[in-house]
PDB file of all heavy atoms in Angstrom:
ATOM      1  N   LYS E   1      -0.215 -11.792  -0.347  1.00 93.00           N
ATOM      2  CA  LYS E   1      -0.171 -12.872   0.689  1.00 93.00           C
ATOM      3  C   LYS E   1       0.722 -14.016   0.233  1.00 93.00           C
ATOM      4  O   LYS E   1       0.685 -14.435  -0.877  1.00 93.00           O
ATOM      5  CB  LYS E   1      -1.617 -13.381   0.981  1.00 93.00           C
ATOM      6  CG  LYS E   1      -2.493 -12.318   1.692  1.00 93.00           C
ATOM      7  CD  LYS E   1      -3.897 -12.964   1.976  1.00 93.00           C
ATOM      8  CE  LYS E   1      -4.772 -11.959   2.815  1.00 93.00           C
ATOM      9  NZ  LYS E   1      -6.080 -12.533   3.151  1.00 93.00           N
ATOM     10  N   GLY E   2       1.445 -14.512   1.188  1.00 91.00           N
ATOM     11  CA  GLY E   2       2.360 -15.575   0.893  1.00 91.00           C
ATOM     12  C   GLY E   2       3.804 -15.087   0.589  1.00 91.00           C
ATOM     13  O   GLY E   2       4.774 -15.841   0.566  1.00 91.00           O
ATOM     14  N   ASN E   3       3.898 -13.796   0.440  1.00 92.00           N
ATOM     15  CA  ASN E   3       5.258 -13.122   0.217  1.00 92.00           C
ATOM     16  C   ASN E   3       6.037 -13.167   1.554  1.00 92.00           C
ATOM     17  O   ASN E   3       5.452 -12.902   2.553  1.00 92.00           O
ATOM     18  CB  ASN E   3       5.093 -11.767  -0.358  1.00 92.00           C
ATOM     19  CG  ASN E   3       6.388 -11.241  -0.938  1.00 92.00           C
ATOM     20  OD1 ASN E   3       6.876 -11.671  -1.946  1.00 92.00           O
ATOM     21  ND2 ASN E   3       7.003 -10.234  -0.296  1.00 92.00           N
ATOM     22  N   LYS E   4       7.358 -13.323   1.453  1.00 92.00           N
ATOM     23  CA  LYS E   4       8.139 -13.362   2.742  1.00 92.00           C
ATOM     24  C   LYS E   4       8.033 -12.040   3.397  1.00 92.00           C
ATOM     25  O   LYS E   4       8.044 -11.992   4.644  1.00 92.00           O
ATOM     26  CB  LYS E   4       9.621 -13.648   2.333  1.00 92.00           C
ATOM     27  CG  LYS E   4       9.849 -15.106   1.915  1.00 92.00           C
ATOM     28  CD  LYS E   4      11.301 -15.463   1.623  1.00 92.00           C
ATOM     29  CE  LYS E   4      11.424 -16.869   1.091  1.00 92.00           C
ATOM     30  NZ  LYS E   4      12.894 -17.152   0.810  1.00 92.00           N
ATOM     31  N   GLU E   5       8.190 -10.955   2.652  1.00 93.00           N
ATOM     32  CA  GLU E   5       8.114  -9.566   3.197  1.00 93.00           C
ATOM     33  C   GLU E   5       6.691  -9.159   3.201  1.00 93.00           C
ATOM     34  O   GLU E   5       5.981  -9.213   2.223  1.00 93.00           O
ATOM     35  CB  GLU E   5       8.988  -8.666   2.338  1.00 93.00           C
ATOM     36  CG  GLU E   5       9.293  -7.349   3.078  1.00 93.00           C
ATOM     37  CD  GLU E   5      10.331  -6.599   2.211  1.00 93.00           C
ATOM     38  OE1 GLU E   5      10.561  -6.849   1.088  1.00 93.00           O
ATOM     39  OE2 GLU E   5      10.901  -5.520   2.734  1.00 93.00           O
ATOM     40  N   LYS E   6       6.162  -8.754   4.416  1.00 94.00           N
ATOM     41  CA  LYS E   6       4.784  -8.306   4.496  1.00 94.00           C
ATOM     42  C   LYS E   6       4.467  -6.996   3.807  1.00 94.00           C
ATOM     43  O   LYS E   6       3.427  -6.914   3.131  1.00 94.00           O
ATOM     44  CB  LYS E   6       4.460  -8.242   6.019  1.00 94.00           C
ATOM     45  CG  LYS E   6       2.955  -7.926   6.250  1.00 94.00           C
ATOM     46  CD  LYS E   6       2.575  -7.989   7.785  1.00 94.00           C
ATOM     47  CE  LYS E   6       1.096  -7.703   7.984  1.00 94.00           C
ATOM     48  NZ  LYS E   6       0.853  -7.741   9.488  1.00 94.00           N
ATOM     49  N   SER E   7       5.320  -5.975   4.029  1.00 95.00           N
ATOM     50  CA  SER E   7       5.061  -4.675   3.432  1.00 95.00           C
ATOM     51  C   SER E   7       6.411  -3.982   3.207  1.00 95.00           C
ATOM     52  O   SER E   7       7.463  -4.371   3.786  1.00 95.00           O
ATOM     53  CB  SER E   7       4.157  -3.834   4.273  1.00 95.00           C
ATOM     54  OG  SER E   7       4.803  -3.507   5.511  1.00 95.00           O
ATOM     55  N   LYS E   8       6.345  -3.022   2.413  1.00 95.00           N
ATOM     56  CA  LYS E   8       7.567  -2.273   2.125  1.00 95.00           C
ATOM     57  C   LYS E   8       7.201  -0.739   1.859  1.00 95.00           C
ATOM     58  O   LYS E   8       6.271  -0.441   1.111  1.00 95.00           O
ATOM     59  CB  LYS E   8       8.101  -2.818   0.846  1.00 95.00           C
ATOM     60  CG  LYS E   8       9.564  -2.345   0.580  1.00 95.00           C
ATOM     61  CD  LYS E   8      10.100  -3.145  -0.678  1.00 95.00           C
ATOM     62  CE  LYS E   8      11.533  -2.743  -0.989  1.00 95.00           C
ATOM     63  NZ  LYS E   8      12.438  -3.294   0.039  1.00 95.00           N
ATOM     64  N   PRO E   9       7.949   0.171   2.449  1.00 96.00           N
ATOM     65  CA  PRO E   9       7.674   1.578   2.191  1.00 96.00           C
ATOM     66  C   PRO E   9       8.329   2.110   0.806  1.00 96.00           C
ATOM     67  O   PRO E   9       9.405   1.768   0.483  1.00 96.00           O
ATOM     68  CB  PRO E   9       8.468   2.332   3.336  1.00 96.00           C
ATOM     69  CG  PRO E   9       9.531   1.372   3.742  1.00 96.00           C
ATOM     70  CD  PRO E   9       8.963   0.015   3.502  1.00 96.00           C
ATOM     71  N   MET E  10       7.387   2.733   0.052  1.00 96.00           N
ATOM     72  CA  MET E  10       7.797   3.184  -1.312  1.00 96.00           C
ATOM     73  C   MET E  10       7.286   4.562  -1.594  1.00 96.00           C
ATOM     74  O   MET E  10       6.379   4.963  -0.924  1.00 96.00           O
ATOM     75  CB  MET E  10       7.246   2.200  -2.378  1.00 96.00           C
ATOM     76  CG  MET E  10       7.704   0.763  -2.158  1.00 96.00           C
ATOM     77  SD  MET E  10       6.926  -0.262  -3.483  1.00 96.00           S
ATOM     78  CE  MET E  10       7.313  -1.956  -2.948  1.00 96.00           C
ATOM     79  N   PHE E  11       7.911   5.173  -2.504  1.00 97.00           N
ATOM     80  CA  PHE E  11       7.302   6.497  -3.042  1.00 97.00           C
ATOM     81  C   PHE E  11       7.166   6.398  -4.580  1.00 97.00           C
ATOM     82  O   PHE E  11       8.038   5.826  -5.329  1.00 97.00           O
ATOM     83  CB  PHE E  11       8.063   7.690  -2.537  1.00 97.00           C
ATOM     84  CG  PHE E  11       9.469   7.840  -3.035  1.00 97.00           C
ATOM     85  CD1 PHE E  11       9.758   8.500  -4.174  1.00 97.00           C
ATOM     86  CD2 PHE E  11      10.538   7.342  -2.279  1.00 97.00           C
ATOM     87  CE1 PHE E  11      11.009   8.662  -4.658  1.00 97.00           C
ATOM     88  CE2 PHE E  11      11.838   7.478  -2.645  1.00 97.00           C
ATOM     89  CZ  PHE E  11      12.092   8.118  -3.855  1.00 97.00           C
ATOM     90  N   PHE E  12       6.220   7.077  -5.093  1.00 96.00           N
ATOM     91  CA  PHE E  12       5.970   7.277  -6.613  1.00 96.00           C
ATOM     92  C   PHE E  12       5.781   8.548  -7.045  1.00 96.00           C
ATOM     93  O   PHE E  12       5.587   9.459  -6.166  1.00 96.00           O
ATOM     94  CB  PHE E  12       4.780   6.199  -6.898  1.00 96.00           C
ATOM     95  CG  PHE E  12       4.863   4.838  -6.308  1.00 96.00           C
ATOM     96  CD1 PHE E  12       4.127   4.672  -4.988  1.00 96.00           C
ATOM     97  CD2 PHE E  12       5.479   3.819  -6.864  1.00 96.00           C
ATOM     98  CE1 PHE E  12       4.207   3.355  -4.444  1.00 96.00           C
ATOM     99  CE2 PHE E  12       5.544   2.612  -6.252  1.00 96.00           C
ATOM    100  CZ  PHE E  12       4.847   2.309  -5.022  1.00 96.00           C
ATOM    101  N   CYS E  13       5.641   8.757  -8.337  1.00 96.00           N
ATOM    102  CA  CYS E  13       5.314  10.075  -8.849  1.00 96.00           C
ATOM    103  C   CYS E  13       3.761  10.196  -8.925  1.00 96.00           C
ATOM    104  O   CYS E  13       3.041   9.248  -9.393  1.00 96.00           O
ATOM    105  CB  CYS E  13       5.934  10.186 -10.269  1.00 96.00           C
ATOM    106  SG  CYS E  13       5.553  11.760 -10.990  1.00 96.00           S
ATOM    107  N   SER E  14       3.301  11.295  -8.476  1.00 95.00           N
ATOM    108  CA  SER E  14       1.882  11.609  -8.414  1.00 95.00           C
ATOM    109  C   SER E  14       1.200  11.529  -9.791  1.00 95.00           C
ATOM    110  O   SER E  14       0.018  11.343 -10.070  1.00 95.00           O
ATOM    111  CB  SER E  14       1.559  12.923  -7.772  1.00 95.00           C
ATOM    112  OG  SER E  14       2.246  13.971  -8.426  1.00 95.00           O
ATOM    113  N   LYS E  15       2.038  11.835 -10.839  1.00 95.00           N
ATOM    114  CA  LYS E  15       1.504  11.895 -12.185  1.00 95.00           C
ATOM    115  C   LYS E  15       1.540  10.612 -12.896  1.00 95.00           C
ATOM    116  O   LYS E  15       0.991  10.425 -13.970  1.00 95.00           O
ATOM    117  CB  LYS E  15       2.342  12.814 -13.030  1.00 95.00           C
ATOM    118  CG  LYS E  15       2.417  14.374 -12.456  1.00 95.00           C
ATOM    119  CD  LYS E  15       3.183  15.188 -13.316  1.00 95.00           C
ATOM    120  CE  LYS E  15       3.249  16.650 -12.688  1.00 95.00           C
ATOM    121  NZ  LYS E  15       1.881  17.237 -12.550  1.00 95.00           N
ATOM    122  N   TRP E  16       2.114   9.575 -12.279  1.00 95.00           N
ATOM    123  CA  TRP E  16       2.088   8.207 -12.919  1.00 95.00           C
ATOM    124  C   TRP E  16       0.706   7.522 -12.933  1.00 95.00           C
ATOM    125  O   TRP E  16      -0.158   7.818 -12.081  1.00 95.00           O
ATOM    126  CB  TRP E  16       2.966   7.264 -12.111  1.00 95.00           C
ATOM    127  CG  TRP E  16       4.578   7.509 -12.239  1.00 95.00           C
ATOM    128  CD1 TRP E  16       5.094   8.444 -13.107  1.00 95.00           C
ATOM    129  CD2 TRP E  16       5.595   6.861 -11.631  1.00 95.00           C
ATOM    130  NE1 TRP E  16       6.409   8.365 -13.005  1.00 95.00           N
ATOM    131  CE2 TRP E  16       6.843   7.378 -12.038  1.00 95.00           C
ATOM    132  CE3 TRP E  16       5.700   5.889 -10.678  1.00 95.00           C
ATOM    133  CZ2 TRP E  16       8.052   6.958 -11.681  1.00 95.00           C
ATOM    134  CZ3 TRP E  16       6.877   5.455 -10.222  1.00 95.00           C
ATOM    135  CH2 TRP E  16       8.101   6.015 -10.737  1.00 95.00           C
ATOM    136  N   SER E  17       0.479   6.719 -13.919  1.00 94.00           N
ATOM    137  CA  SER E  17      -0.638   5.903 -14.017  1.00 94.00           C
ATOM    138  C   SER E  17      -0.583   4.719 -12.986  1.00 94.00           C
ATOM    139  O   SER E  17       0.494   4.455 -12.508  1.00 94.00           O
ATOM    140  CB  SER E  17      -0.830   5.302 -15.413  1.00 94.00           C
ATOM    141  OG  SER E  17       0.246   4.406 -15.725  1.00 94.00           O
ATOM    142  N   ILE E  18      -1.717   4.184 -12.670  1.00 94.00           N
ATOM    143  CA  ILE E  18      -1.693   3.071 -11.730  1.00 94.00           C
ATOM    144  C   ILE E  18      -0.921   1.896 -12.218  1.00 94.00           C
ATOM    145  O   ILE E  18      -0.266   1.199 -11.473  1.00 94.00           O
ATOM    146  CB  ILE E  18      -3.180   2.657 -11.379  1.00 94.00           C
ATOM    147  CG1 ILE E  18      -3.962   3.812 -10.682  1.00 94.00           C
ATOM    148  CG2 ILE E  18      -3.233   1.390 -10.435  1.00 94.00           C
ATOM    149  CD1 ILE E  18      -3.399   4.258  -9.393  1.00 94.00           C
ATOM    150  N   GLY E  19      -0.973   1.659 -13.553  1.00 93.00           N
ATOM    151  CA  GLY E  19      -0.255   0.598 -14.194  1.00 93.00           C
ATOM    152  C   GLY E  19       1.210   0.731 -14.029  1.00 93.00           C
ATOM    153  O   GLY E  19       1.946  -0.166 -13.712  1.00 93.00           O
ATOM    154  N   LYS E  20       1.697   1.929 -14.183  1.00 95.00           N
ATOM    155  CA  LYS E  20       3.175   2.236 -14.030  1.00 95.00           C
ATOM    156  C   LYS E  20       3.523   2.032 -12.500  1.00 95.00           C
ATOM    157  O   LYS E  20       4.623   1.585 -12.205  1.00 95.00           O
ATOM    158  CB  LYS E  20       3.511   3.653 -14.509  1.00 95.00           C
ATOM    159  CG  LYS E  20       4.989   3.946 -14.470  1.00 95.00           C
ATOM    160  CD  LYS E  20       5.333   5.184 -15.152  1.00 95.00           C
ATOM    161  CE  LYS E  20       6.819   5.440 -15.164  1.00 95.00           C
ATOM    162  NZ  LYS E  20       7.227   6.701 -15.886  1.00 95.00           N
ATOM    163  N   VAL E  21       2.720   2.460 -11.622  1.00 96.00           N
ATOM    164  CA  VAL E  21       3.014   2.302 -10.191  1.00 96.00           C
ATOM    165  C   VAL E  21       3.135   0.865  -9.883  1.00 96.00           C
ATOM    166  O   VAL E  21       3.944   0.428  -9.079  1.00 96.00           O
ATOM    167  CB  VAL E  21       1.785   2.992  -9.319  1.00 96.00           C
ATOM    168  CG1 VAL E  21       1.954   2.586  -7.850  1.00 96.00           C
ATOM    169  CG2 VAL E  21       1.746   4.439  -9.447  1.00 96.00           C
ATOM    170  N   VAL E  22       2.171  -0.003 -10.347  1.00 95.00           N
ATOM    171  CA  VAL E  22       2.279  -1.451 -10.130  1.00 95.00           C
ATOM    172  C   VAL E  22       3.542  -1.977 -10.621  1.00 95.00           C
ATOM    173  O   VAL E  22       4.270  -2.775  -9.920  1.00 95.00           O
ATOM    174  CB  VAL E  22       0.936  -2.174 -10.812  1.00 95.00           C
ATOM    175  CG1 VAL E  22       1.234  -3.602 -10.748  1.00 95.00           C
ATOM    176  CG2 VAL E  22      -0.284  -1.763 -10.141  1.00 95.00           C
ATOM    177  N   ASP E  23       3.948  -1.612 -11.879  1.00 94.00           N
ATOM    178  CA  ASP E  23       5.196  -2.099 -12.510  1.00 94.00           C
ATOM    179  C   ASP E  23       6.386  -1.757 -11.688  1.00 94.00           C
ATOM    180  O   ASP E  23       7.333  -2.625 -11.405  1.00 94.00           O
ATOM    181  CB  ASP E  23       5.359  -1.607 -13.865  1.00 94.00           C
ATOM    182  CG  ASP E  23       4.297  -2.231 -14.895  1.00 94.00           C
ATOM    183  OD1 ASP E  23       3.757  -3.292 -14.519  1.00 94.00           O
ATOM    184  OD2 ASP E  23       4.080  -1.594 -15.912  1.00 94.00           O
ATOM    185  N   PHE E  24       6.407  -0.522 -11.217  1.00 96.00           N
ATOM    186  CA  PHE E  24       7.565   0.027 -10.512  1.00 96.00           C
ATOM    187  C   PHE E  24       7.632  -0.685  -9.092  1.00 96.00           C
ATOM    188  O   PHE E  24       8.691  -0.980  -8.580  1.00 96.00           O
ATOM    189  CB  PHE E  24       7.475   1.576 -10.296  1.00 96.00           C
ATOM    190  CG  PHE E  24       8.664   2.161  -9.720  1.00 96.00           C
ATOM    191  CD1 PHE E  24       9.849   2.301 -10.563  1.00 96.00           C
ATOM    192  CD2 PHE E  24       8.742   2.642  -8.408  1.00 96.00           C
ATOM    193  CE1 PHE E  24      11.021   2.909  -9.993  1.00 96.00           C
ATOM    194  CE2 PHE E  24       9.830   3.193  -7.859  1.00 96.00           C
ATOM    195  CZ  PHE E  24      11.089   3.377  -8.671  1.00 96.00           C
ATOM    196  N   ALA E  25       6.447  -0.765  -8.395  1.00 96.00           N
ATOM    197  CA  ALA E  25       6.438  -1.489  -7.141  1.00 96.00           C
ATOM    198  C   ALA E  25       6.777  -2.885  -7.193  1.00 96.00           C
ATOM    199  O   ALA E  25       7.535  -3.413  -6.318  1.00 96.00           O
ATOM    200  CB  ALA E  25       5.008  -1.330  -6.505  1.00 96.00           C
ATOM    201  N   ALA E  26       6.386  -3.633  -8.262  1.00 95.00           N
ATOM    202  CA  ALA E  26       6.780  -5.026  -8.507  1.00 95.00           C
ATOM    203  C   ALA E  26       8.289  -5.071  -8.542  1.00 95.00           C
ATOM    204  O   ALA E  26       8.984  -6.114  -8.045  1.00 95.00           O
ATOM    205  CB  ALA E  26       6.055  -5.537  -9.693  1.00 95.00           C
ATOM    206  N   SER E  27       8.942  -4.244  -9.205  1.00 94.00           N
ATOM    207  CA  SER E  27      10.395  -4.223  -9.422  1.00 94.00           C
ATOM    208  C   SER E  27      11.082  -3.996  -8.112  1.00 94.00           C
ATOM    209  O   SER E  27      12.100  -4.629  -7.794  1.00 94.00           O
ATOM    210  CB  SER E  27      10.835  -3.310 -10.496  1.00 94.00           C
ATOM    211  OG  SER E  27      10.580  -1.914 -10.140  1.00 94.00           O
ATOM    212  N   LEU E  28      10.597  -3.008  -7.356  1.00 95.00           N
ATOM    213  CA  LEU E  28      11.243  -2.737  -5.976  1.00 95.00           C
ATOM    214  C   LEU E  28      11.066  -3.881  -5.028  1.00 95.00           C
ATOM    215  O   LEU E  28      12.020  -4.125  -4.241  1.00 95.00           O
ATOM    216  CB  LEU E  28      10.570  -1.478  -5.404  1.00 95.00           C
ATOM    217  CG  LEU E  28      10.838  -0.119  -6.139  1.00 95.00           C
ATOM    218  CD1 LEU E  28      10.109   1.019  -5.361  1.00 95.00           C
ATOM    219  CD2 LEU E  28      12.313   0.154  -6.074  1.00 95.00           C
ATOM    220  N   ALA E  29       9.920  -4.578  -5.103  1.00 95.00           N
ATOM    221  CA  ALA E  29       9.724  -5.739  -4.228  1.00 95.00           C
ATOM    222  C   ALA E  29      10.109  -7.093  -4.810  1.00 95.00           C
ATOM    223  O   ALA E  29       9.844  -8.117  -4.170  1.00 95.00           O
ATOM    224  CB  ALA E  29       8.241  -5.698  -3.761  1.00 95.00           C
ATOM    225  N   SER E  30      10.624  -7.091  -5.950  1.00 95.00           N
ATOM    226  CA  SER E  30      11.026  -8.290  -6.650  1.00 95.00           C
ATOM    227  C   SER E  30       9.865  -9.261  -6.804  1.00 95.00           C
ATOM    228  O   SER E  30       9.976 -10.498  -6.508  1.00 95.00           O
ATOM    229  CB  SER E  30      12.168  -8.977  -5.891  1.00 95.00           C
ATOM    230  OG  SER E  30      13.320  -8.147  -5.809  1.00 95.00           O
ATOM    231  N   LEU E  31       8.702  -8.750  -7.241  1.00 95.00           N
ATOM    232  CA  LEU E  31       7.520  -9.627  -7.409  1.00 95.00           C
ATOM    233  C   LEU E  31       7.360 -10.022  -8.920  1.00 95.00           C
ATOM    234  O   LEU E  31       7.758  -9.246  -9.790  1.00 95.00           O
ATOM    235  CB  LEU E  31       6.272  -8.811  -6.990  1.00 95.00           C
ATOM    236  CG  LEU E  31       6.154  -8.375  -5.513  1.00 95.00           C
ATOM    237  CD1 LEU E  31       5.009  -7.469  -5.293  1.00 95.00           C
ATOM    238  CD2 LEU E  31       6.127  -9.584  -4.611  1.00 95.00           C
ATOM    239  N   LYS E  32       6.769 -11.155  -9.099  1.00 93.00           N
ATOM    240  CA  LYS E  32       6.535 -11.673 -10.409  1.00 93.00           C
ATOM    241  C   LYS E  32       5.495 -10.708 -11.031  1.00 93.00           C
ATOM    242  O   LYS E  32       4.453 -10.504 -10.409  1.00 93.00           O
ATOM    243  CB  LYS E  32       6.050 -13.081 -10.405  1.00 93.00           C
ATOM    244  CG  LYS E  32       5.846 -13.624 -11.765  1.00 93.00           C
ATOM    245  CD  LYS E  32       5.312 -15.089 -11.627  1.00 93.00           C
ATOM    246  CE  LYS E  32       4.958 -15.682 -13.016  1.00 93.00           C
ATOM    247  NZ  LYS E  32       4.467 -17.028 -12.916  1.00 93.00           N
ATOM    248  N   ASN E  33       5.657 -10.225 -12.231  1.00 93.00           N
ATOM    249  CA  ASN E  33       4.716  -9.386 -12.856  1.00 93.00           C
ATOM    250  C   ASN E  33       4.551  -9.723 -14.307  1.00 93.00           C
ATOM    251  O   ASN E  33       5.434  -9.477 -15.185  1.00 93.00           O
ATOM    252  CB  ASN E  33       5.298  -7.880 -12.787  1.00 93.00           C
ATOM    253  CG  ASN E  33       4.294  -6.859 -13.387  1.00 93.00           C
ATOM    254  OD1 ASN E  33       3.087  -7.211 -13.654  1.00 93.00           O
ATOM    255  ND2 ASN E  33       4.741  -5.629 -13.623  1.00 93.00           N
ATOM    256  N   ASP E  34       3.456 -10.351 -14.567  1.00 89.00           N
ATOM    257  CA  ASP E  34       3.076 -10.730 -16.021  1.00 89.00           C
ATOM    258  C   ASP E  34       1.863  -9.919 -16.422  1.00 89.00           C
ATOM    259  O   ASP E  34       1.102 -10.398 -17.291  1.00 89.00           O
ATOM    260  CB  ASP E  34       2.694 -12.233 -15.996  1.00 89.00           C
ATOM    261  CG  ASP E  34       3.878 -13.168 -15.669  1.00 89.00           C
ATOM    262  OD1 ASP E  34       5.013 -12.679 -16.066  1.00 89.00           O
ATOM    263  OD2 ASP E  34       3.662 -14.250 -15.203  1.00 89.00           O
ATOM    264  N   ASN E  35       1.754  -8.709 -16.059  1.00 88.00           N
ATOM    265  CA  ASN E  35       0.642  -7.830 -16.483  1.00 88.00           C
ATOM    266  C   ASN E  35       0.722  -7.541 -17.897  1.00 88.00           C
ATOM    267  O   ASN E  35      -0.345  -7.207 -18.553  1.00 88.00           O
ATOM    268  CB  ASN E  35       0.644  -6.534 -15.701  1.00 88.00           C
ATOM    269  CG  ASN E  35       0.229  -6.709 -14.214  1.00 88.00           C
ATOM    270  OD1 ASN E  35      -0.087  -7.823 -13.826  1.00 88.00           O
ATOM    271  ND2 ASN E  35       0.095  -5.582 -13.504  1.00 88.00           N
TER     272      ASN E  35
END
């Protein structure tokens, strides 16, 4: 919430961990990621 873009279509690898999915999605959407 608060992001300029509301949503974004993405695809990931089914074998990835949720942590890797979050990191990859953050980079695609240019989100700050201090995980």
Side-chain angles (χ1 to χ4, degrees):
K1 288 185 177 180
N3 195 70
K4 291 182 180 180
E5 198 173 12
K6 184 176 180 180
S7 67
K8 192 176 184 70
M10 303 180 188
F11 66 86
F12 312 95
C13 178
S14 61
K15 300 182 185 299
W16 285 357
S17 67
I18 299 299
K20 186 171 182 178
V21 171
V22 171
D23 291 340
F24 191 76
S27 65
L28 289 178
S30 301
L31 298 174
K32 181 181 178 181
N33 181 14
D34 292 332
N35 285 4

